[in-house]
Amino acid sequence: MKRIISFALSAVALLGVYACNNDLNKVFDPQTPLVEFQPAVVNAASAGRTYPLLSVTNSVTAGNSVTVQVNLLGRKPGSDVPVRVLVDPSTTAAASSYTLSNGGVATFSTSAPNSNTAGVTLTVARATSSTAPVGNLILVIDSTSTNFKPSRNYMRVGYSFRQ
Protein backbone atom coordinates (compact mmCIF):
# COMPACT_ATOMS: atom_id res chain seq x y z
CA MET A 1 0.00 0.00 0.00
CA LYS A 2 2.85 2.35 0.86
CA ARG A 3 4.52 1.56 -2.46
CA ILE A 4 1.37 2.41 -4.41
CA ILE A 5 0.97 5.75 -2.60
CA SER A 6 4.65 6.67 -3.04
CA PHE A 7 4.49 5.69 -6.72
CA ALA A 8 1.35 7.83 -7.25
CA LEU A 9 2.91 10.82 -5.48
CA SER A 10 6.09 10.45 -7.54
CA ALA A 11 4.08 10.32 -10.76
CA VAL A 12 2.09 13.45 -9.80
CA ALA A 13 5.29 15.30 -8.88
CA LEU A 14 6.92 14.28 -12.15
CA LEU A 15 3.90 15.45 -14.16
CA GLY A 16 3.92 18.73 -12.25
CA VAL A 17 7.55 19.39 -13.20
CA TYR A 18 6.94 18.68 -16.89
CA ALA A 19 3.70 20.70 -16.96
CA CYS A 20 5.51 23.98 -16.32
CA ASN A 21 6.20 26.12 -19.37
CA ASN A 22 9.40 28.02 -18.76
CA ASP A 23 9.35 29.89 -22.07
CA LEU A 24 8.83 33.46 -20.83
CA ASN A 25 9.49 35.03 -24.23
CA LYS A 26 5.91 34.39 -25.37
CA VAL A 27 4.36 37.15 -23.25
CA PHE A 28 4.40 39.90 -25.90
CA ASP A 29 4.83 39.88 -29.64
CA PRO A 30 7.75 42.29 -30.05
CA GLN A 31 6.57 43.25 -33.54
CA THR A 32 3.10 44.43 -32.53
CA PRO A 33 2.60 46.19 -29.17
CA LEU A 34 -0.73 46.17 -27.32
CA VAL A 35 -2.69 49.27 -26.29
CA GLU A 36 -5.09 49.40 -23.33
CA PHE A 37 -7.06 51.84 -21.16
CA GLN A 38 -5.54 52.25 -17.70
CA PRO A 39 -8.96 52.81 -16.02
CA ALA A 40 -10.12 49.47 -17.45
CA VAL A 41 -7.07 47.75 -15.96
CA VAL A 42 -7.45 49.08 -12.41
CA ASN A 43 -11.27 49.02 -12.12
CA ALA A 44 -13.53 45.99 -12.11
CA ALA A 45 -16.05 45.49 -14.88
CA SER A 46 -19.53 46.79 -14.11
CA ALA A 47 -22.46 44.43 -13.68
CA GLY A 48 -23.61 43.08 -17.02
CA ARG A 49 -20.70 44.67 -18.92
CA THR A 50 -17.20 43.61 -19.95
CA TYR A 51 -15.73 47.01 -19.05
CA PRO A 52 -15.92 49.41 -16.07
CA LEU A 53 -18.49 52.20 -16.05
CA LEU A 54 -17.00 55.09 -14.04
CA SER A 55 -18.87 58.09 -12.73
CA VAL A 56 -17.88 61.65 -13.65
CA THR A 57 -19.34 64.29 -11.36
CA ASN A 58 -20.85 67.39 -12.92
CA SER A 59 -23.49 69.81 -11.70
CA VAL A 60 -25.71 72.58 -13.06
CA THR A 61 -22.97 75.11 -12.21
CA ALA A 62 -19.82 73.30 -13.41
CA GLY A 63 -18.62 70.61 -15.75
CA ASN A 64 -15.63 68.34 -15.18
CA SER A 65 -12.56 67.03 -16.97
CA VAL A 66 -11.03 63.57 -16.73
CA THR A 67 -7.81 62.39 -18.36
CA VAL A 68 -8.23 58.91 -19.78
CA GLN A 69 -4.81 57.24 -19.71
CA VAL A 70 -3.83 54.88 -22.51
CA ASN A 71 -0.95 52.38 -22.01
CA LEU A 72 1.38 50.94 -24.64
CA LEU A 73 2.56 47.41 -23.79
CA GLY A 74 5.59 46.08 -25.57
CA ARG A 75 8.37 47.69 -27.57
CA LYS A 76 7.74 51.27 -28.62
CA PRO A 77 8.19 51.83 -32.37
CA GLY A 78 10.79 54.31 -33.62
CA SER A 79 8.17 56.89 -34.63
CA ASP A 80 5.21 58.54 -32.89
CA VAL A 81 2.24 56.22 -32.44
CA PRO A 82 -1.17 57.90 -32.67
CA VAL A 83 -4.03 55.95 -31.10
CA ARG A 84 -7.60 56.89 -32.01
CA VAL A 85 -10.15 56.66 -29.23
CA LEU A 86 -13.61 56.21 -30.71
CA VAL A 87 -17.07 56.60 -29.22
CA ASP A 88 -18.95 53.30 -29.18
CA PRO A 89 -22.32 53.31 -31.00
CA SER A 90 -24.03 52.05 -27.82
CA THR A 91 -23.29 55.38 -26.11
CA THR A 92 -26.40 56.98 -24.62
CA ALA A 93 -24.86 60.39 -23.84
CA ALA A 94 -25.69 63.23 -26.20
CA ALA A 95 -22.74 64.30 -28.37
CA SER A 96 -23.20 67.90 -27.19
CA SER A 97 -22.59 66.94 -23.54
CA TYR A 98 -18.89 65.97 -23.87
CA THR A 99 -15.73 66.60 -25.89
CA LEU A 100 -12.51 64.62 -26.37
CA SER A 101 -9.23 66.51 -26.67
CA ASN A 102 -7.18 66.29 -29.88
CA GLY A 103 -10.16 64.82 -31.71
CA GLY A 104 -9.86 61.67 -29.60
CA VAL A 105 -6.24 60.92 -30.53
CA ALA A 106 -3.67 59.96 -27.90
CA THR A 107 -0.08 60.03 -29.18
CA PHE A 108 2.82 58.01 -27.79
CA SER A 109 5.66 60.39 -28.55
CA THR A 110 9.26 59.47 -29.32
CA SER A 111 10.34 62.65 -27.52
CA ALA A 112 9.48 60.82 -24.26
CA PRO A 113 11.35 57.53 -24.79
CA ASN A 114 10.80 56.23 -21.25
CA SER A 115 7.06 56.84 -21.21
CA ASN A 116 4.58 54.30 -22.52
CA THR A 117 1.52 56.30 -21.51
CA ALA A 118 -0.57 58.87 -23.36
CA GLY A 119 -3.87 60.48 -22.59
CA VAL A 120 -7.06 61.92 -23.95
CA THR A 121 -8.92 64.51 -21.91
CA LEU A 122 -12.66 63.96 -21.60
CA THR A 123 -14.47 67.22 -20.82
CA VAL A 124 -18.05 66.89 -19.60
CA ALA A 125 -20.38 69.88 -19.89
CA ARG A 126 -22.43 71.04 -16.94
CA ALA A 127 -25.73 69.31 -16.38
CA THR A 128 -28.88 70.89 -17.75
CA SER A 129 -30.71 70.28 -14.45
CA SER A 130 -30.21 68.43 -11.18
CA THR A 131 -32.73 65.82 -12.35
CA ALA A 132 -31.30 65.45 -15.87
CA PRO A 133 -30.98 61.88 -17.11
CA VAL A 134 -27.67 60.11 -16.77
CA GLY A 135 -25.89 59.37 -20.04
CA ASN A 136 -23.24 56.72 -20.62
CA LEU A 137 -20.22 57.43 -22.81
CA ILE A 138 -18.33 54.31 -23.90
CA LEU A 139 -14.85 54.78 -25.37
CA VAL A 140 -13.16 52.15 -27.54
CA ILE A 141 -9.60 51.92 -28.89
CA ASP A 142 -9.56 51.90 -32.70
CA SER A 143 -8.53 48.46 -33.94
CA THR A 144 -7.71 49.33 -37.56
CA SER A 145 -4.08 50.40 -37.00
CA THR A 146 -1.16 48.24 -38.09
CA ASN A 147 1.19 49.82 -35.50
CA PHE A 148 -0.53 48.22 -32.51
CA LYS A 149 -3.33 45.90 -31.45
CA PRO A 150 -5.90 46.82 -28.80
CA SER A 151 -5.90 44.60 -25.74
CA ARG A 152 -9.04 42.46 -25.91
CA ASN A 153 -9.84 42.74 -22.21
CA TYR A 154 -9.05 46.43 -21.75
CA MET A 155 -9.97 48.11 -25.03
CA ARG A 156 -13.20 49.64 -23.69
CA VAL A 157 -14.07 51.96 -20.80
CA GLY A 158 -17.28 53.79 -19.92
CA TYR A 159 -18.16 57.04 -18.14
CA SER A 160 -21.56 58.07 -16.81
CA PHE A 161 -22.64 61.65 -16.06
CA ARG A 162 -25.69 63.90 -15.95
CA GLN A 163 -26.50 65.47 -19.31
Side-chain angles (χ1 to χ4, degrees), residues 87-88 91 93-100 122-125 136-137 139 161:
V87 176
D88 191 272
T91 293
S96 61
S97 63
Y98 63 88
T99 57
L100 294 172
L122 166 65
T123 304
V124 176
N136 294 331
L137 171 65
L139 302 176
F161 51 88

Side-chain angles (χ1 to χ4, degrees), residues 123-161:
T123 304
V124 176
R126 43 181 214 202
T128 55
S129 72
S130 58
T131 59
V134 174
N136 294 331
L137 171 65
I138 293 99
L139 302 176
V140 180
I141 296 173
D142 182 19
S143 61
T144 60
S145 176
T146 58
N147 294 332
F148 62 86
K149 290 181 182 176
S151 173
R152 287 186 187 177
N153 295 332
Y154 307 117
M155 67 182 286
R156 190 169 304 221
V157 68
Y159 292 94
S160 65
F161 51 88

Side-chain angles (χ1 to χ4, degrees), residues 28 34-46 49-54 68-73 83-86 108 138-143 148-159:
F28 295 111
L34 293 175
V35 177
E36 66 186 10
F37 282 119
Q38 176 68 16
V41 173
V42 297
N43 295 295
S46 297
R49 302 176 192 269
T50 59
Y51 54 90
L53 187 61
L54 307 171
V68 183
Q69 181 178 323
V70 182
N71 299 331
L72 180 71
L73 306 173
V83 175
R84 290 190 61 211
V85 176
L86 305 173
F108 295 99
I138 293 99
L139 302 176
V140 180
I141 296 173
D142 182 19
S143 61
F148 62 86
K149 290 181 182 176
S151 173
R152 287 186 187 177
N153 295 332
Y154 307 117
M155 67 182 286
R156 190 169 304 221
V157 68
Y159 292 94

